[in-house]
Amino acid sequence: MTANIKHAKEKTAEIAQDLQLAGAELHLTNTALERQLPESAKQGDVGRALEQNAAIENKVQEAAEELAEVKDLLEEEVAERTRLEKKIDRMEGEPGG
């Protein structure tokens, strides 16, 4: 496996974990605000801020899911590359190869 692919895979996993944690923290914050604020306080700018926080929470969760998919694709690429490298090594080890 090349160093670049390995590094990309590791970095992707780290970022996905960070995003998952951020999403969980946003969810906790949003839930607390929704529960603790009276309905009268959820108007105007505060209401828009709550909506925006919920939208950001969704975007963070979606980004974490997409990064998990990228990580899976990188793992597949690594597996394919390893398989091809082994095949090349076998072919080179054969007589006339």
Side-chain angles (χ1 to χ4, degrees):
M1 162 174 31
T2 68
N4 288 339
I5 292 176
K6 183 177 180 181
H7 180 71
K9 182 179 159 238
E10 291 169 357
K11 192 67 176 171
T12 300
E14 290 172 18
I15 293 169
Q17 283 182 324
D18 290 346
L19 280 172
Q20 287 174 340
L21 179 60
E25 289 172 347
L26 272 171
H27 179 72
L28 290 173
T29 301
N30 290 339
T31 300
L33 288 171
E34 283 291 331
R35 287 183 182 166
Q36 297 300 320
L37 288 175
E39 287 302 316
S40 61
K42 297 177 189 176
Q43 307 299 320
D45 289 342
V46 173
R48 283 189 290 281
L50 289 171
E51 290 172 4
Q52 188 174 22
N53 273 359
I56 291 168
E57 176 187 343
N58 289 334
K59 286 180 183 181
V60 167
Q61 289 173 345
E62 289 172 6
E65 291 169 6
E66 289 175 9
L67 268 174
E69 291 175 17
V70 170
K71 180 181 166 277
D72 291 343
L73 290 172
L74 284 169
E75 287 174 353
E76 290 174 18
E77 183 64 26
V78 167
E80 178 67 9
R81 184 182 186 103
T82 301
R83 185 188 69 75
L84 290 173
E85 287 174 350
K86 286 179 181 178
K87 184 175 181 179
I88 289 170
D89 288 345
R90 282 194 310 269
M91 292 174 64
E92 288 176 347
E94 293 177 4

